[in-house]
């Protein structure tokens, strides 16, 4: 490296005013980098607060359609939809997940009918549908991989048929990307994008999400450690991503984001393919709560998102997407 020495080099020269600072900034966030997750609740009209997620609401489909318009108006063109399913529709194998015309597939149809240009991402996993709260089917209290994949494939086909642009398996079964890709090709969903939650950690930062979709109580003290990754590992994330790319993933995701910036970085550097990160519920809530208490300035949210981009993410799922987009566009 070239030698840089004071006073030939004064790094402060480029920090003289905000125009200069903006001019040399290396990382920026635009609305195009943001994806807004929304919670849609079955058999429900209106809105409902989520205690552990300040400012985020469970929406009836009526309100969801209004909210999607607000999100688009704020400049965010991509959403990820998460259903909240009636408790009495949940069973041990998540059968509602693959029922023709179920709540999420009819919701997706209505959203895509009204807003055809929106990029709609639909989650594949059984946890919204199982009475035990796990992402797959249980046998002797263990989630069984291959039998779960069979259901996930059908869930993915249903979501693709409903009009989801991206199918996002968040279940962490081995081999599911390959199986879903094969089925999509066979059923002529050749352009359905697979966004794999490739490196999804067994994180405590998902707590508020599980409240939001009412799966926390069902899961109880049970852990997802037999399928989600150990938080201590990084090499393993590289293997997970390599496998998913080989199996047909178009985009890979790292989740959570803030506590895993090193993982985002190494994966982007290694594979150089579209890489998304998920600022998950717990990350969002701790910042938002501190902002609401005035313990932290509002700008910590943007700072956090910038750090995720700087680490290498191309796009970020964030509960703050709509608000941040408004902020950066009104600047
Ligand atoms: C379900 C799923 C989870 C999240 C997204 N999809 C929860 C989990 O794995 O328990 C978490 C998102 C968040 O915390 O914001 N498979």
């Amino acid at each position: 490296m070239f030698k840089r020495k004071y006073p030939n080099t004064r790094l402060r020269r480029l920090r003289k005013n905000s125009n200069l600072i903006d001019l040399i900034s290396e990382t920026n966030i635009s609305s195009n980098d943001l994806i807004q997750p929304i919670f849609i609740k079955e058999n429900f009209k209106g809105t409902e607060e989520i205690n552990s997620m300040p400012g985020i609401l469970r929406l009836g489909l009526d309100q969801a359609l209004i909210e999607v318009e607000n999100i688009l108006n704020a400049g965010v063109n991509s959403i990820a939809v998460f259903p909240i399913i009636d408790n009495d529709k949940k069973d041990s194998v998540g059968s509602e997940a693959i029922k023709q015309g179920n709540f999420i597939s009819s919701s997706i149809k209505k959203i895509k009918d009204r807003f055809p240009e929106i990029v709609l991402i639909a989650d594949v996993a059984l946890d919204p549908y199982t009475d035990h709260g796990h992402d797959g089917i249980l046998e002797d209290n263990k989630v069984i991989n291959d039998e779960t994949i069979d259901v996930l494939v059908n869930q993915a086909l249903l979501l693709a048929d409903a009009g989801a642009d991206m199918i996002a398996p968040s279940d962490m079964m081995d081999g599911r990307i390959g199986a879903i890709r094969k089925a999509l090709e066979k059923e002529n969903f050749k352009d359905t994008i697979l966004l794999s939650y490739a490196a999804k950690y067994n994180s405590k930062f998902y707590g508020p999400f599980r409240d939001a979709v009412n799966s926390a109580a069902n899961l109880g003290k049970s852990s997802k450690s037999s399928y989600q990754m150990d938080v201590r590992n990084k090499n393993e994330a590289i293997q997970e991503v390599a496998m998913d790319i080989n199996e047909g993933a178009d985009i890979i995701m790292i989740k959570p984001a803030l506590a895993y910036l090193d993982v985002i970085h190494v994966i982007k550097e290694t594979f150089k393919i579209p890489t998304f990160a998920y600022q998950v519920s717990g990350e969002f809530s701790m910042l938002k709560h501190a902002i609401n208490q005035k313990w932290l300035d509002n700008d910590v949210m943007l700072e956090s998102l910038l750090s995720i981009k700087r680490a290498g993410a191309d796009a970020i799922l964030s509960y703050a997407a709509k608000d941040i987009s408004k902020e950066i566009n009104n600047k």
Side-chain angles (χ1 to χ4, degrees):
M1 270 286 263
F2 45 89
K3 278 213 183 83
R4 306 207 71 185
K5 272 187 162 172
Y6 168 85
N8 282 357
T9 299
R10 289 179 186 266
L11 289 170
R12 288 186 57 193
R13 282 185 199 125
L14 297 175
R15 298 178 196 142
K16 198 163 59 189
N17 62 42
S18 64
N19 286 344
L20 272 170
I21 291 172
D22 285 345
L23 195 62
I24 62 154
S25 63
E26 300 170 37
T27 307
N28 279 297
I29 285 202
S30 85
S31 302
N32 301 330
D33 306 318
L34 297 170
I35 300 161
Q36 177 73 49
I38 58 170
F39 296 109
I40 315 180
K41 183 171 168 169
E42 183 169 27
N43 288 326
F44 178 71
K45 274 197 169 63
T47 65
E48 191 173 76
E49 283 178 17
I50 301 163
N51 277 341
S52 54
M53 298 186 74
I56 305 298
L57 302 167
R58 298 188 191 91
L59 306 167
L61 183 56
D62 57 329
Q63 290 297 318
L65 289 163
I66 295 169
E67 179 61 9
V68 170
E69 192 162 3
N70 295 337
I71 292 166
L72 288 167
N73 286 337
V76 174
N77 297 317
S78 306
I79 58 169
V81 293
F82 293 100
I84 296 150
I85 301 302
D86 279 351
N87 253 328
D88 57 15
K89 290 207 176 124
K90 300 186 184 187
D91 62 20
S92 65
V93 294
S95 31
E96 183 64 20
I98 57 172
K99 248 192 214 120
Q100 282 295 330
N102 68 6
F103 173 64
I104 193 66
S105 67
S106 64
S107 302
I108 291 170
K109 270 199 185 108
K110 290 203 177 94
I111 295 171
K112 286 293 290 185
D113 274 352
R114 181 94 55 98
F115 309 101
E117 77 290 359
I118 202 168
V119 177
L120 189 147
I121 303 169
D123 221 61
V124 167
L126 299 183
D127 56 326
Y129 303 98
T130 53
D131 53 16
H132 45 68
H134 277 289
D135 292 17
I137 297 170
L138 294 186
E139 196 178 88
D140 299 332
N141 258 326
K142 289 252 154 58
V143 172
I144 41 175
N145 196 83
D146 299 5
E147 293 76 359
T148 295
I149 288 182
D150 293 340
V151 186
L152 297 177
V153 163
N154 288 317
Q155 185 184 22
L157 289 173
L158 192 74
L159 297 167
D161 188 49
D165 301 281
M166 291 191 197
I167 302 291
S170 71
D171 55 282
M172 289 296 281
M173 297 303 113
D174 285 325
R176 88 283 203 217
I177 296 295
I180 292 171
R181 174 56 78 207
K182 194 168 152 214
L184 289 171
E185 285 289 320
K186 183 159 168 273
E187 300 299 325
N188 217 14
F189 295 111
K190 294 194 177 15
D191 290 329
T192 300
I193 297 159
L194 275 179
L195 161 59
S196 173
Y197 286 79
K200 177 172 179 181
Y201 285 87
N202 182 30
S203 170
K204 296 295 184 203
F205 283 103
Y206 307 147
F209 176 96
R210 293 179 190 170
D211 272 351
V213 301
N214 299 328
S215 73
N218 292 345
L219 194 62
K221 289 217 172 329
S222 188
S223 149
K224 298 192 177 184
S225 60
S226 81
Y227 43 105
Q228 298 181 347
M229 280 181 54
D230 189 308
V231 303
R232 293 168 292 190
N233 298 348
K234 182 154 75 171
N235 292 334
E236 191 187 354
I238 297 174
Q239 295 190 62
E240 285 283 1
V241 170
M243 287 185 68
D244 287 0
I245 295 171
N246 286 336
E247 289 175 29
D250 303 286
I251 305 171
I252 58 90
M253 178 131 73
I254 293 100
K255 174 182 178 188
L258 192 56
Y260 298 84
L261 296 178
D262 57 330
V263 179
I264 297 172
H265 180 73
V266 73
I267 283 177
K268 185 63 180 176
E269 292 284 301
T270 307
F271 297 102
K272 306 201 185 296
I273 71 158
T275 302
F276 289 6
Y278 199 144
Q279 184 194 45
V280 298
S281 55
E283 293 177 57
F284 165 82
S285 289
M286 63 182 183
L287 293 178
K288 197 70 190 174
H289 185 67
I291 291 167
N292 288 348
Q293 297 293 318
K294 305 209 186 313
W295 293 338
L296 289 174
D297 187 89
N298 185 52
D299 282 351
V300 293
M301 193 64 83
L302 182 59
E303 180 178 335
S304 180
L305 294 174
L306 278 166
S307 78
I308 298 165
K309 272 220 79 185
R310 199 184 58 235
D314 297 298
I316 307 167
L317 280 95
S318 166
Y319 298 96
K322 180 182 76 172
D323 292 344
I324 289 285
S325 177
K326 278 192 209 157
E327 276 175 33
I328 55 189
N329 294 333
N330 291 335
K331 239 187 175 171

Short mmCIF file of all heavy atoms in Angstrom, two decimals, residues 106-152:
data_model
loop_
_atom_site.label_atom_id
_atom_site.label_comp_id
_atom_site.label_asym_id
_atom_site.label_seq_id
_atom_site.Cartn_x
_atom_site.Cartn_y
_atom_site.Cartn_z
N SER A 106 -54.87 -16.80 -1.57
CA SER A 106 -55.89 -15.86 -2.07
C SER A 106 -55.48 -14.42 -1.79
O SER A 106 -55.76 -13.51 -2.59
CB SER A 106 -57.28 -16.19 -1.51
OG SER A 106 -57.30 -16.03 -0.12
N SER A 107 -54.76 -14.19 -0.70
CA SER A 107 -54.28 -12.83 -0.42
C SER A 107 -53.26 -12.40 -1.48
O SER A 107 -53.31 -11.26 -1.96
CB SER A 107 -53.60 -12.75 0.96
OG SER A 107 -54.49 -13.14 1.97
N ILE A 108 -52.35 -13.31 -1.81
CA ILE A 108 -51.33 -12.98 -2.83
C ILE A 108 -52.01 -12.64 -4.15
O ILE A 108 -51.67 -11.66 -4.81
CB ILE A 108 -50.35 -14.16 -3.00
CG1 ILE A 108 -49.48 -14.31 -1.75
CG2 ILE A 108 -49.47 -13.99 -4.25
CD1 ILE A 108 -48.63 -15.57 -1.71
N LYS A 109 -53.01 -13.44 -4.52
CA LYS A 109 -53.74 -13.18 -5.77
C LYS A 109 -54.34 -11.78 -5.77
O LYS A 109 -54.22 -11.04 -6.75
CB LYS A 109 -54.87 -14.20 -5.95
CG LYS A 109 -54.44 -15.44 -6.70
CD LYS A 109 -55.64 -16.20 -7.27
CE LYS A 109 -55.12 -17.48 -7.90
NZ LYS A 109 -55.46 -18.69 -7.12
N LYS A 110 -54.96 -11.44 -4.66
CA LYS A 110 -55.63 -10.12 -4.60
C LYS A 110 -54.60 -8.99 -4.67
O LYS A 110 -54.82 -7.98 -5.33
CB LYS A 110 -56.47 -10.00 -3.33
CG LYS A 110 -57.69 -10.90 -3.38
CD LYS A 110 -58.82 -10.44 -2.46
CE LYS A 110 -60.03 -11.35 -2.63
NZ LYS A 110 -60.06 -12.45 -1.64
N ILE A 111 -53.49 -9.16 -3.97
CA ILE A 111 -52.45 -8.11 -3.99
C ILE A 111 -51.87 -7.97 -5.39
O ILE A 111 -51.72 -6.87 -5.92
CB ILE A 111 -51.34 -8.41 -2.95
CG1 ILE A 111 -51.91 -8.35 -1.53
CG2 ILE A 111 -50.18 -7.43 -3.11
CD1 ILE A 111 -50.97 -8.85 -0.45
N LYS A 112 -51.58 -9.11 -6.03
CA LYS A 112 -50.96 -9.05 -7.36
C LYS A 112 -51.96 -8.58 -8.44
O LYS A 112 -51.56 -7.98 -9.43
CB LYS A 112 -50.34 -10.40 -7.74
CG LYS A 112 -49.06 -10.74 -7.01
CD LYS A 112 -47.88 -9.83 -7.38
CE LYS A 112 -47.38 -10.06 -8.79
NZ LYS A 112 -46.16 -9.23 -9.07
N ASP A 113 -53.25 -8.88 -8.23
CA ASP A 113 -54.27 -8.35 -9.15
C ASP A 113 -54.28 -6.84 -9.10
O ASP A 113 -54.35 -6.17 -10.12
CB ASP A 113 -55.67 -8.84 -8.73
CG ASP A 113 -55.98 -10.19 -9.34
OD1 ASP A 113 -55.16 -10.63 -10.18
OD2 ASP A 113 -57.01 -10.78 -8.97
N ARG A 114 -54.25 -6.31 -7.89
CA ARG A 114 -54.36 -4.86 -7.69
C ARG A 114 -53.06 -4.14 -8.04
O ARG A 114 -53.08 -3.03 -8.55
CB ARG A 114 -54.77 -4.61 -6.22
CG ARG A 114 -54.95 -3.18 -5.81
CD ARG A 114 -56.41 -2.67 -5.91
NE ARG A 114 -57.40 -3.42 -5.20
CZ ARG A 114 -57.87 -3.09 -3.97
NH1 ARG A 114 -57.41 -2.04 -3.33
NH2 ARG A 114 -58.81 -3.82 -3.39
N PHE A 115 -51.91 -4.80 -7.71
CA PHE A 115 -50.59 -4.16 -7.91
C PHE A 115 -49.67 -5.11 -8.67
O PHE A 115 -48.74 -5.68 -8.09
CB PHE A 115 -49.96 -3.79 -6.56
CG PHE A 115 -50.86 -3.02 -5.65
CD1 PHE A 115 -51.52 -3.65 -4.60
CD2 PHE A 115 -51.08 -1.65 -5.84
CE1 PHE A 115 -52.37 -2.95 -3.76
CE2 PHE A 115 -51.93 -0.94 -5.00
CZ PHE A 115 -52.58 -1.59 -3.96
N PRO A 116 -49.92 -5.28 -9.97
CA PRO A 116 -49.19 -6.32 -10.72
C PRO A 116 -47.68 -6.09 -10.74
O PRO A 116 -46.92 -7.05 -10.85
CB PRO A 116 -49.76 -6.20 -12.14
CG PRO A 116 -50.87 -5.25 -12.09
CD PRO A 116 -50.87 -4.53 -10.79
N GLU A 117 -47.27 -4.85 -10.62
CA GLU A 117 -45.84 -4.55 -10.77
C GLU A 117 -45.05 -4.77 -9.49
O GLU A 117 -43.81 -4.74 -9.50
CB GLU A 117 -45.67 -3.10 -11.29
CG GLU A 117 -45.86 -2.00 -10.27
CD GLU A 117 -47.32 -1.82 -9.79
OE1 GLU A 117 -48.26 -2.52 -10.26
OE2 GLU A 117 -47.51 -0.97 -8.91
N ILE A 118 -45.71 -4.98 -8.38
CA ILE A 118 -44.99 -5.14 -7.11
C ILE A 118 -44.19 -6.45 -7.11
O ILE A 118 -44.59 -7.42 -7.77
CB ILE A 118 -46.00 -5.12 -5.93
CG1 ILE A 118 -45.29 -4.72 -4.64
CG2 ILE A 118 -46.69 -6.47 -5.77
CD1 ILE A 118 -46.26 -4.40 -3.52
N VAL A 119 -43.06 -6.44 -6.45
CA VAL A 119 -42.30 -7.68 -6.28
C VAL A 119 -42.77 -8.32 -4.97
O VAL A 119 -42.57 -7.76 -3.89
CB VAL A 119 -40.78 -7.42 -6.21
CG1 VAL A 119 -40.02 -8.72 -5.95
CG2 VAL A 119 -40.29 -6.76 -7.50
N LEU A 120 -43.41 -9.46 -5.09
CA LEU A 120 -44.00 -10.09 -3.91
C LEU A 120 -43.25 -11.37 -3.54
O LEU A 120 -43.07 -12.26 -4.37
CB LEU A 120 -45.49 -10.40 -4.16
CG LEU A 120 -46.27 -10.86 -2.95
CD1 LEU A 120 -47.72 -10.38 -3.02
CD2 LEU A 120 -46.23 -12.36 -2.75
N ILE A 121 -42.79 -11.39 -2.30
CA ILE A 121 -42.01 -12.51 -1.78
C ILE A 121 -42.87 -13.30 -0.80
O ILE A 121 -43.46 -12.71 0.11
CB ILE A 121 -40.75 -12.00 -1.06
CG1 ILE A 121 -39.90 -11.13 -2.01
CG2 ILE A 121 -39.93 -13.15 -0.49
CD1 ILE A 121 -38.79 -10.36 -1.32
N ALA A 122 -42.94 -14.61 -1.00
CA ALA A 122 -43.75 -15.44 -0.11
C ALA A 122 -42.87 -16.48 0.57
O ALA A 122 -42.08 -17.16 -0.07
CB ALA A 122 -44.86 -16.13 -0.90
N ASP A 123 -43.03 -16.59 1.88
CA ASP A 123 -42.23 -17.50 2.70
C ASP A 123 -42.69 -18.94 2.52
O ASP A 123 -43.89 -19.21 2.47
CB ASP A 123 -42.42 -17.11 4.17
CG ASP A 123 -41.14 -17.17 4.97
OD1 ASP A 123 -40.20 -16.44 4.62
OD2 ASP A 123 -41.09 -17.95 5.94
N VAL A 124 -41.73 -19.85 2.44
CA VAL A 124 -42.04 -21.27 2.46
C VAL A 124 -41.49 -21.86 3.76
O VAL A 124 -40.29 -21.77 4.02
CB VAL A 124 -41.43 -22.00 1.24
CG1 VAL A 124 -41.47 -23.51 1.43
CG2 VAL A 124 -42.15 -21.60 -0.03
N ALA A 125 -42.36 -22.38 4.57
CA ALA A 125 -42.03 -23.03 5.85
C ALA A 125 -43.37 -23.36 6.48
O ALA A 125 -44.38 -22.71 6.17
CB ALA A 125 -41.23 -22.11 6.78
N LEU A 126 -43.39 -24.32 7.37
CA LEU A 126 -44.68 -24.76 7.89
C LEU A 126 -45.07 -24.10 9.22
O LEU A 126 -46.17 -24.31 9.71
CB LEU A 126 -44.69 -26.29 8.04
CG LEU A 126 -44.50 -27.05 6.72
CD1 LEU A 126 -44.60 -28.56 6.96
CD2 LEU A 126 -45.52 -26.63 5.67
N ASP A 127 -44.17 -23.31 9.80
CA ASP A 127 -44.46 -22.81 11.16
C ASP A 127 -45.74 -21.98 11.31
O ASP A 127 -46.33 -22.02 12.39
CB ASP A 127 -43.24 -22.09 11.77
CG ASP A 127 -42.73 -20.95 10.92
OD1 ASP A 127 -42.79 -21.05 9.68
OD2 ASP A 127 -42.25 -19.94 11.47
N PRO A 128 -46.21 -21.26 10.29
CA PRO A 128 -47.50 -20.58 10.52
C PRO A 128 -48.67 -21.57 10.61
O PRO A 128 -49.76 -21.21 11.05
CB PRO A 128 -47.68 -19.71 9.27
CG PRO A 128 -46.34 -19.66 8.61
CD PRO A 128 -45.66 -20.94 8.96
N TYR A 129 -48.43 -22.81 10.18
CA TYR A 129 -49.52 -23.78 10.02
C TYR A 129 -49.48 -24.96 10.97
O TYR A 129 -50.41 -25.76 11.01
CB TYR A 129 -49.49 -24.32 8.57
CG TYR A 129 -49.60 -23.23 7.53
CD1 TYR A 129 -48.49 -22.71 6.90
CD2 TYR A 129 -50.85 -22.71 7.21
CE1 TYR A 129 -48.60 -21.70 5.96
CE2 TYR A 129 -50.98 -21.69 6.27
CZ TYR A 129 -49.85 -21.19 5.65
OH TYR A 129 -49.97 -20.18 4.73
N THR A 130 -48.36 -25.12 11.71
CA THR A 130 -48.27 -26.29 12.59
C THR A 130 -48.68 -25.93 14.02
O THR A 130 -48.41 -24.83 14.49
CB THR A 130 -46.83 -26.86 12.61
OG1 THR A 130 -45.91 -25.80 12.92
CG2 THR A 130 -46.46 -27.49 11.29
N ASP A 131 -49.32 -26.90 14.70
CA ASP A 131 -49.77 -26.62 16.07
C ASP A 131 -48.61 -26.72 17.07
O ASP A 131 -48.76 -26.36 18.22
CB ASP A 131 -50.95 -27.53 16.46
CG ASP A 131 -50.65 -29.01 16.24
OD1 ASP A 131 -49.46 -29.36 16.08
OD2 ASP A 131 -51.62 -29.80 16.23
N HIS A 132 -47.44 -27.20 16.59
CA HIS A 132 -46.26 -27.24 17.46
C HIS A 132 -45.28 -26.10 17.15
O HIS A 132 -44.27 -25.96 17.81
CB HIS A 132 -45.56 -28.60 17.35
CG HIS A 132 -45.41 -29.09 15.93
ND1 HIS A 132 -44.58 -28.48 15.03
CD2 HIS A 132 -46.02 -30.11 15.27
CE1 HIS A 132 -44.67 -29.10 13.85
NE2 HIS A 132 -45.56 -30.09 13.97
N GLY A 133 -45.58 -25.33 16.11
CA GLY A 133 -44.76 -24.15 15.82
C GLY A 133 -43.45 -24.42 15.10
O GLY A 133 -42.67 -23.48 14.85
N HIS A 134 -43.18 -25.68 14.75
CA HIS A 134 -41.94 -25.97 14.01
C HIS A 134 -42.16 -25.76 12.51
O HIS A 134 -43.29 -25.79 12.02
CB HIS A 134 -41.46 -27.40 14.30
CG HIS A 134 -40.67 -27.48 15.56
ND1 HIS A 134 -39.41 -26.96 15.67
CD2 HIS A 134 -40.99 -28.00 16.78
CE1 HIS A 134 -38.96 -27.17 16.90
NE2 HIS A 134 -39.90 -27.79 17.60
N ASP A 135 -41.03 -25.61 11.80
CA ASP A 135 -41.08 -25.34 10.36
C ASP A 135 -41.34 -26.59 9.53
O ASP A 135 -41.50 -26.51 8.30
CB ASP A 135 -39.76 -24.72 9.88
CG ASP A 135 -39.53 -23.33 10.45
OD1 ASP A 135 -40.21 -22.97 11.43
OD2 ASP A 135 -38.67 -22.60 9.92
N GLY A 136 -41.31 -27.75 10.17
CA GLY A 136 -41.49 -29.00 9.44
C GLY A 136 -42.35 -29.99 10.20
O GLY A 136 -42.96 -29.65 11.23
N ILE A 137 -42.36 -31.20 9.69
CA ILE A 137 -43.16 -32.29 10.28
C ILE A 137 -42.34 -33.00 11.35
O ILE A 137 -41.14 -33.23 11.18
CB ILE A 137 -43.57 -33.28 9.17
CG1 ILE A 137 -44.46 -32.57 8.14
CG2 ILE A 137 -44.26 -34.50 9.74
CD1 ILE A 137 -44.71 -33.40 6.90
N LEU A 138 -43.00 -33.36 12.44
CA LEU A 138 -42.30 -34.00 13.56
C LEU A 138 -42.49 -35.51 13.55
O LEU A 138 -43.56 -36.01 13.21
CB LEU A 138 -42.84 -33.49 14.90
CG LEU A 138 -42.62 -32.03 15.28
CD1 LEU A 138 -43.11 -31.80 16.71
CD2 LEU A 138 -41.16 -31.64 15.15
N GLU A 139 -41.40 -36.20 13.92
CA GLU A 139 -41.52 -37.63 14.24
C GLU A 139 -40.66 -37.86 15.46
O GLU A 139 -39.48 -37.45 15.47
CB GLU A 139 -41.02 -38.46 13.05
CG GLU A 139 -41.44 -39.91 13.11
CD GLU A 139 -40.95 -40.65 11.86
OE1 GLU A 139 -39.80 -41.16 11.90
OE2 GLU A 139 -41.68 -40.69 10.87
N ASP A 140 -41.18 -38.47 16.50
CA ASP A 140 -40.47 -38.61 17.78
C ASP A 140 -39.88 -37.27 18.22
O ASP A 140 -38.73 -37.18 18.65
CB ASP A 140 -39.34 -39.64 17.68
CG ASP A 140 -39.85 -41.02 17.33
OD1 ASP A 140 -41.01 -41.32 17.68
OD2 ASP A 140 -39.10 -41.78 16.68
N ASN A 141 -40.68 -36.21 18.05
CA ASN A 141 -40.25 -34.88 18.47
C ASN A 141 -39.09 -34.29 17.69
O ASN A 141 -38.49 -33.31 18.12
CB ASN A 141 -39.92 -34.87 19.96
CG ASN A 141 -41.06 -34.24 20.74
OD1 ASN A 141 -41.71 -33.31 20.24
ND2 ASN A 141 -41.32 -34.76 21.92
N LYS A 142 -38.75 -34.90 16.54
CA LYS A 142 -37.69 -34.35 15.68
C LYS A 142 -38.30 -33.94 14.36
O LYS A 142 -39.17 -34.63 13.83
CB LYS A 142 -36.63 -35.44 15.40
CG LYS A 142 -35.78 -35.82 16.57
CD LYS A 142 -34.36 -35.28 16.40
CE LYS A 142 -33.64 -35.05 17.72
NZ LYS A 142 -33.55 -36.26 18.54
N VAL A 143 -37.86 -32.83 13.82
CA VAL A 143 -38.33 -32.43 12.50
C VAL A 143 -37.68 -33.33 11.46
O VAL A 143 -36.45 -33.44 11.39
CB VAL A 143 -38.00 -30.95 12.21
CG1 VAL A 143 -38.31 -30.60 10.76
CG2 VAL A 143 -38.80 -30.04 13.13
N ILE A 144 -38.50 -34.02 10.68
CA ILE A 144 -37.95 -34.96 9.69
C ILE A 144 -37.82 -34.28 8.33
O ILE A 144 -38.76 -33.69 7.81
CB ILE A 144 -38.77 -36.27 9.60
CG1 ILE A 144 -40.28 -35.99 9.65
CG2 ILE A 144 -38.37 -37.19 10.74
CD1 ILE A 144 -41.11 -37.23 9.45
N ASN A 145 -36.63 -34.37 7.80
CA ASN A 145 -36.22 -33.57 6.64
C ASN A 145 -36.99 -33.89 5.37
O ASN A 145 -37.69 -33.04 4.80
CB ASN A 145 -34.72 -33.79 6.40
CG ASN A 145 -34.11 -32.74 5.48
OD1 ASN A 145 -33.75 -31.66 5.94
ND2 ASN A 145 -34.01 -33.03 4.20
N ASP A 146 -36.88 -35.14 4.90
CA ASP A 146 -37.32 -35.44 3.54
C ASP A 146 -38.84 -35.41 3.40
O ASP A 146 -39.37 -34.96 2.38
CB ASP A 146 -36.75 -36.79 3.09
CG ASP A 146 -35.21 -36.78 3.08
OD1 ASP A 146 -34.62 -35.76 3.53
OD2 ASP A 146 -34.60 -37.78 2.65
N GLU A 147 -39.53 -35.86 4.46
CA GLU A 147 -41.00 -35.81 4.44
C GLU A 147 -41.47 -34.35 4.46
O GLU A 147 -42.47 -33.99 3.84
CB GLU A 147 -41.59 -36.56 5.64
CG GLU A 147 -41.36 -38.06 5.62
CD GLU A 147 -39.92 -38.49 6.00
OE1 GLU A 147 -39.06 -37.62 6.27
OE2 GLU A 147 -39.67 -39.71 6.01
N THR A 148 -40.72 -33.52 5.18
CA THR A 148 -41.05 -32.09 5.21
C THR A 148 -40.90 -31.48 3.83
O THR A 148 -41.74 -30.69 3.38
CB THR A 148 -40.17 -31.35 6.24
OG1 THR A 148 -40.47 -31.83 7.55
CG2 THR A 148 -40.41 -29.84 6.19
N ILE A 149 -39.82 -31.87 3.14
CA ILE A 149 -39.59 -31.31 1.79
C ILE A 149 -40.78 -31.57 0.88
O ILE A 149 -41.19 -30.69 0.12
CB ILE A 149 -38.29 -31.89 1.17
CG1 ILE A 149 -37.08 -31.31 1.88
CG2 ILE A 149 -38.22 -31.58 -0.32
CD1 ILE A 149 -35.75 -31.77 1.32
N ASP A 150 -41.35 -32.77 0.96
CA ASP A 150 -42.50 -33.08 0.10
C ASP A 150 -43.61 -32.05 0.30
O ASP A 150 -44.26 -31.63 -0.67
CB ASP A 150 -43.05 -34.48 0.41
CG ASP A 150 -42.05 -35.58 0.02
OD1 ASP A 150 -41.15 -35.29 -0.80
OD2 ASP A 150 -42.16 -36.70 0.56
N VAL A 151 -43.84 -31.66 1.54
CA VAL A 151 -44.90 -30.68 1.80
C VAL A 151 -44.47 -29.29 1.32
O VAL A 151 -45.25 -28.55 0.71
CB VAL A 151 -45.26 -30.64 3.31
CG1 VAL A 151 -46.45 -29.72 3.55
CG2 VAL A 151 -45.56 -32.04 3.83
N LEU A 152 -43.20 -28.96 1.58
CA LEU A 152 -42.70 -27.63 1.19
C LEU A 152 -42.79 -27.44 -0.33
O LEU A 152 -43.10 -26.35 -0.81
CB LEU A 152 -41.24 -27.45 1.63
CG LEU A 152 -40.98 -27.47 3.13
CD1 LEU A 152 -39.48 -27.36 3.40
CD2 LEU A 152 -41.73 -26.35 3.85
#
